[in-house]
Amino acid sequence: MGNKPGRPKNQTARREALVDAAGRAIAERGLEGLRIKDIAAEAGMSAGSVLYYYPEMDELVLEVHRGAVERYLAARQRAVDGATGAAARLRALVGSGLPGGSGDAVHGLLFELHRRADRSSGHATLMASLFAREVTLYATVLEVGSAVGEFTLTEPVTDLARNLVALEDGYGLHIVSRNAELTPDVARRLLLGYARTVTGCPEL
């Protein structure tokens, strides 16, 4: 009886460890050919332990996707919260949305997991939710900037926010795909150039 209160915590910790391990395995090997033994090796567990906690691989991969989305969004929110002034907040948001390079683990994992969206409603929902929440981040910064007079928006705020997220995604895909002509610095410059045009803010 005395051991029972600790068991749920232990199981939660093991599940979290498996999700982390699966994320590393996906980032290193991709989804194609991902095997239970790869995840077990990353987690330092047996294949049987992996199957005990996640009998279905799809369920585990969905949890990896969910966790990756939440961590990514939280990091973007922290970047915005750490800046003062509309222009600085928009620059911080742009900087937080681009991969650091072709080996960026977070973006590489997200792009890999997004590939499941056309075959899985769960992954499609996560991808759509990520896009919508990123749009909200941008829209909030743009609206505040407009309200305080730092920005003069050329289009409806939601349209501008959607375009910024879509540009990020497009540039990000080229960066993680090792397009030598589209480095993180070039992508950031292009995004900020678009942001200057649509906000009329020379500080960007």
Side-chain angles (χ1 to χ4, degrees):
M1 295 289 290
N3 293 330
K4 286 185 178 179
R7 187 167 180 174
K9 291 183 180 179
N10 185 52
Q11 289 189 339
T12 298
R14 283 181 175 270
R15 283 178 172 271
E16 290 175 351
L18 281 171
V19 170
D20 289 342
R24 292 194 300 273
I26 293 168
E28 291 171 9
R29 301 171 177 83
L31 284 168
E32 298 296 332
L34 181 67
R35 298 167 299 180
I36 292 292
K37 72 175 188 178
D38 297 327
I39 299 169
E42 285 284 348
M45 299 180 187
S46 68
S49 294
V50 177
L51 289 169
Y52 174 78
Y53 289 103
Y54 288 99
E56 298 293 333
M57 175 79 83
D58 287 346
E59 179 188 353
L60 176 53
V61 173
L62 189 62
E63 283 300 311
V64 172
H65 198 173
R66 185 175 291 113
V69 164
E70 293 303 325
R71 288 192 300 273
Y72 177 63
L73 286 168
R76 301 205 70 178
Q77 186 66 64
R78 286 194 300 271
V80 173
D81 292 343
T84 302
R89 287 164 70 87
L90 188 51
R91 284 197 305 271
L93 192 51
V94 167
S96 71
L98 292 169
S102 60
D104 189 293
V106 173
H107 285 84
L109 179 60
L110 283 170
F111 279 123
E112 186 71 21
L113 291 165
H114 289 345
R115 294 173 55 199
R116 286 284 177 101
D118 65 337
R119 300 188 299 275
S120 162
S121 61
H123 288 283
T125 297
L126 283 171
M127 188 174 178
S129 172
L130 173 58
F131 181 79
R133 291 164 71 183
E134 288 181 291
V135 167
T136 297
L137 280 174
Y138 268 111
T140 300
V141 172
L142 292 169
E143 286 173 343
V144 171
S146 178
V148 300
E150 284 192 48
F151 299 159
T152 302
L153 305 182
T154 61
E155 301 290 342
V157 66
T158 300
D159 290 351
L160 296 180
R162 286 173 175 166
N163 281 337
L164 284 161
V165 176
L167 283 169
E168 275 182 355
D169 288 347
Y171 290 147
L173 181 58
H174 281 281
I175 291 168
V176 299
S177 300
R178 298 180 173 84
N179 183 339
E181 294 186 8
L182 197 60
T183 65
D185 286 343
V186 169
R188 179 179 171 81
R189 176 177 61 78
L190 292 171
L191 270 166
L192 288 175
Y194 172 75
R196 276 194 302 276
T197 298
V198 300
T199 63
C201 180
E203 296 177 28
L204 291 172

